[in-house]
Amino acid sequence: MKRLLYILMLLVLFTNSSCKKFLEESSQDEVKPGNLSDLTSLMSGDGYPYQTNLSLVLNYITDDIACSGGQGQDRYITIVKKIKSAFSWKKSMFEDLILTGGITYVTPVNSWQILYKQIAGCNVILDYIGKVSGSETEKQNLRGQALAMRAYYYFILVNMYARPYNDPASNPETNPGVPLKLDMSVSDQFFARSTVAEVYAQMEKDFLEAALLMRNNPKNNGVYKMSEQAAYTMLSRIYLYQEQWDKTIEYADKALAIKSNLAQLSSFTASGGFYAWNNSFLGTKYNKIYDPAKSNEIIWAYEPNPSADKEVFVSSLSPAVSAVLNPPYSPSTELMKLYESRPVKDNEIYLADLRARLYYEGLFLGFVPKPPGLPIPDFKVYCGSKGGGGLRIAELYLNRAEANIRKALTGGGAGFPAALNDLNKLRASRYDTRQPYIPVNITDGAALLDFYKDERRRELAFEGHRWFDLRRYGMPAISHYYEEIPGSGETFTLEKGDSRYTLQIPEVVMKRNPLLVQNQ
């Protein structure tokens, strides 16, 4: 354990704010892990994102969130002000969020620092896995996990802080990406930004090697550890972002060959079942798609620290949310209208798309009379509520559907029927089974692509996908209405192709490394 503590001390120094480079460094003379158990413990604590929010601002900058304003209530106004900078896409959002009046729990604000700290943990594993004692099969499996997690963190970094890979106005071969730090060695060297193409190539290499290692050295690690299927899932996503449609389909197929089941939302029965929104007050908060006790479609899961989000999506307000008062921030009306859902009066008849209930948290408003019988609890949606983040089978069907649609649109095969099959399979698992699911049958290619985009948005809301999807969809214009005092609101617009679709590197990071070039 003493050796393990040395490693953990290194990682603390590696991310300490007093250091000068974009990755903080320390002497490693003391780092001498002795066995596989040490490294496994380190991987669990510092390689995996346990209780870590990796990309906090992504919840605040998409068209899936809306501001209802202060509504004349001091407490509501305070909450509205907290994320104004991010909500209005200010380039200084990372600096502004930690100022007085911003987010109180500031730890997850600097995503750059958090992600590189996690990468540092993975690099320790990769550098020392060949030097410790233990089962070779378990060592190689752990190597695969570390490679997969490192690539996962780079995926988030390059899609937050660099231009989209498929940006038609620029070239990934020359666009600055993020620095690639691939070992734990310490020197006086500063790291410049690798190109977007180089970062994608490294992610591809790491995920391919990870999949091979975990296939050849199988170990049932459960859903909270990376796996061969998780690596294939991320490869399908990377190829989707690169518009390599055949490879997207190939790796979605590989992943689905391992496990292809989807959770049937109509089977969620705990604490009110699929009738009820997730709600703490009534105890109906246990039907989460990332809960392995409920959902059999999880590929890999982690639970972010909810502290910062709870400051924005607040469940207890005074005065309380009511028929008149709305949550200061909540899922946008545009998003919620995409779900074919039913009001509470239809609870015992048919509710159609259950995602509008089970993927969101609802604030209890009171009871609706229901003669004859007991009153029905009513809710107002105020945030996403999936019980964690990670990778799910649903994404694989969506990735494959999009690749087939886009191939067909360019004359590369008859992909529409295959795409419809995947979309209908996913949707059938999301609908109330008390009436037969009616499959969609769209024959126009452009209309099918639009429907697909809406379906992806419905399914993956508040999981970190929407901002990245908007970027690869051509960075369309989106707007946010912001209001503190009733009648004094303003509309902020992110124009089509806006440079702010690429986030600024935090200034504290820029000051530590003279080789870093800021995004424009």
Side-chain angles (χ1 to χ4, degrees):
M1 280 302 298
K2 186 178 291 186
R3 288 168 176 159
L4 178 58
L5 288 174
Y6 285 142
I7 300 174
L8 296 175
M9 288 171 63
L10 166 70
L11 289 175
V12 170
L13 290 170
F14 206 76
T15 54
N16 188 284
S17 61
S18 66
C19 298
K20 296 181 180 179
K21 300 193 175 96
F22 86 99
L23 293 176
E24 293 81 312
E25 297 168 347
S26 169
S27 169
Q28 298 180 36
D29 295 339
E30 304 283 1
V31 180
K32 297 177 181 178
N35 56 56
L36 181 60
S37 178
D38 287 351
L39 288 185
T40 301
S41 297
L42 179 63
M43 184 67 196
S44 295
D46 291 88
Y48 283 104
Y50 177 72
Q51 284 289 294
T52 301
N53 196 314
L54 300 174
S55 50
L56 179 71
V57 298
L58 296 188
N59 279 340
Y60 310 148
I61 59 179
T62 76
D63 51 356
D64 284 348
I65 183 177
C67 174
S68 295
Q71 304 164 78
Q73 307 298 326
D74 290 344
R75 174 67 174 136
Y76 288 51
I77 294 170
T78 299
I79 294 168
V80 165
K81 289 179 176 179
K82 281 180 176 288
I83 64 166
K84 178 182 179 181
S85 183
F87 190 73
S88 59
W89 304 291
K90 283 189 68 175
K91 290 191 173 184
S92 59
M93 68 176 73
F94 291 109
E95 289 70 45
D96 296 344
L97 283 170
I98 63 175
L99 296 175
T100 301
I103 298 293
T104 304
Y105 182 66
V106 300
T107 301
V109 171
N110 189 337
S111 295
W112 181 286
Q113 183 182 50
I114 291 167
L115 290 161
Y116 274 110
K117 177 182 181 295
Q118 300 298 134
I119 288 169
C122 295
N123 283 339
V124 171
I125 305 301
L126 294 169
D127 278 14
Y128 281 93
I129 194 72
K131 304 172 185 177
V132 299
S133 59
S135 160
E136 192 61 28
T137 293
E138 292 191 17
K139 285 164 59 177
Q140 293 309 311
N141 185 279
L142 185 61
R143 184 194 296 274
Q145 293 179 53
L147 284 167
M149 284 310 308
R150 183 175 74 179
Y152 180 80
Y153 298 133
Y154 274 121
F155 175 85
I156 299 173
L157 278 164
V158 78
N159 281 285
M160 288 182 71
Y161 299 106
R163 292 189 70 81
Y165 188 96
N166 69 340
D167 177 19
S170 59
N171 185 352
E173 299 289 345
T174 55
N175 283 343
V178 295
L180 286 171
K181 183 75 167 71
L182 303 177
D183 58 50
M184 62 173 286
S185 62
V186 174
S187 69
D188 293 331
Q189 177 186 4
F190 291 102
F191 289 83
R193 297 173 70 174
S194 300
T195 67
V196 170
E198 288 169 340
V199 177
Y200 268 78
Q202 185 64 49
M203 292 189 297
E204 179 185 29
K205 177 178 180 294
D206 282 356
F207 279 127
L208 286 170
E209 185 178 353
L212 182 64
L213 285 167
M214 289 184 282
R215 182 171 73 247
N216 291 341
N217 301 276
K219 187 173 184 287
N220 184 7
N221 292 313
V223 299
Y224 296 109
K225 297 290 191 294
M226 274 284 169
S227 64
E228 177 190 357
Q229 186 182 36
Y232 290 149
T233 302
M234 284 304 302
L235 284 164
S236 84
R237 190 192 297 181
I238 286 172
Y239 294 134
L240 184 75
Y241 281 42
Q242 292 179 305
E243 300 186 351
Q244 296 190 52
W245 312 129
D246 287 332
K247 284 191 172 182
T248 301
I249 295 167
E250 177 187 353
Y251 282 90
D253 286 346
K254 285 178 179 288
L256 289 168
I258 296 172
K259 184 175 75 171
S260 61
N261 42 283
L262 290 160
Q264 300 295 319
L265 297 190
S266 59
S267 70
F268 285 19
T269 57
S271 302
F274 58 76
Y275 292 164
W277 283 267
N278 287 300
N279 176 269
S280 300
F281 179 74
L282 295 182
T284 57
K285 60 176 183 176
Y286 303 109
N287 280 322
K288 306 292 182 74
I289 195 67
Y290 274 105
D291 180 356
K294 293 290 179 184
S295 173
N296 59 358
E297 70 175 62
I298 303 168
I299 298 171
W300 169 66
Y302 75 97
E303 186 173 353
N305 188 316
S307 298
D309 270 343
K310 283 184 176 180
E311 295 183 37
V312 178
F313 304 111
V314 183
S315 60
S316 179
L317 287 163
S318 181
V321 169
S322 65
V324 177
L325 291 175
N326 294 308
Y329 289 101
S330 61
S332 66
T333 301
E334 177 189 348
L335 169 63
M336 297 310 297
K337 282 184 175 178
L338 292 177
Y339 297 100
E340 182 193 355
S341 58
R342 300 286 191 272
V344 292
K345 66 181 180 63
D346 290 346
N347 274 8
E348 296 184 18
I349 304 169
Y350 177 66
L351 293 176
D353 193 338
L354 300 175
R355 291 174 293 192
R357 303 286 185 97
L358 299 178
Y359 285 5
Y360 297 90
E361 189 101 1
L363 293 174
F364 178 59
L365 297 180
F367 290 96
V368 177
K370 185 183 75 68
L374 296 174
I376 307 169
D378 197 11
F379 302 89
K380 185 171 282 186
V381 172
Y382 81 101
C383 69
S385 180
K386 292 183 173 178
L391 304 171
R392 298 189 286 120
I393 295 294
E395 182 189 346
L396 292 167
Y397 286 108
L398 289 165
N399 291 353
R400 188 167 69 180
E402 181 175 346
N404 273 309
I405 293 168
R406 293 192 185 271
K407 273 190 68 178
L409 284 172
T410 56
F416 294 155
L420 283 166
N421 184 64
D422 281 341
L423 291 173
N424 281 314
K425 183 177 180 66
L426 171 62
R427 287 169 57 79
S429 71
R430 283 15 186 175
Y431 270 62
D432 190 338
T433 55
R434 288 175 295 180
Q435 290 186 18
Y437 168 73
I438 301 173
V440 295
N441 185 23
I442 301 170
T443 56
D444 178 77
L448 180 56
L449 181 60
D450 287 342
F451 180 87
Y452 160 81
K453 289 179 180 180
D454 287 345
E455 185 64 24
R456 186 177 181 92
R457 187 178 179 186
R458 282 185 283 264
E459 180 62 33
L460 301 178
F462 293 97
E463 292 187 51
H465 288 267
R466 182 60 179 170
W467 181 250
F468 295 167
D469 284 340
L470 287 169
R471 283 162 43 90
R472 66 186 185 86
Y473 292 161
M475 297 177 282
I478 59 174
S479 295
H480 280 165
Y481 177 77
Y482 176 86
E483 180 182 280
E484 294 173 15
I485 308 301
S488 64
E490 54 188 321
T491 298
F492 298 102
T493 299
L494 198 62
E495 302 292 350
K496 179 175 173 57
D498 202 303
S499 64
R500 290 173 294 172
Y501 265 109
T502 302
L503 303 183
Q504 296 281 284
I505 299 171
E507 279 302 312
V508 67
V509 175
M510 294 296 300
K511 290 176 180 178
R512 293 174 187 157
N513 184 353
L515 294 186
L516 288 180
V517 177
Q518 184 60 281
N519 295 318
Q520 300 303 309

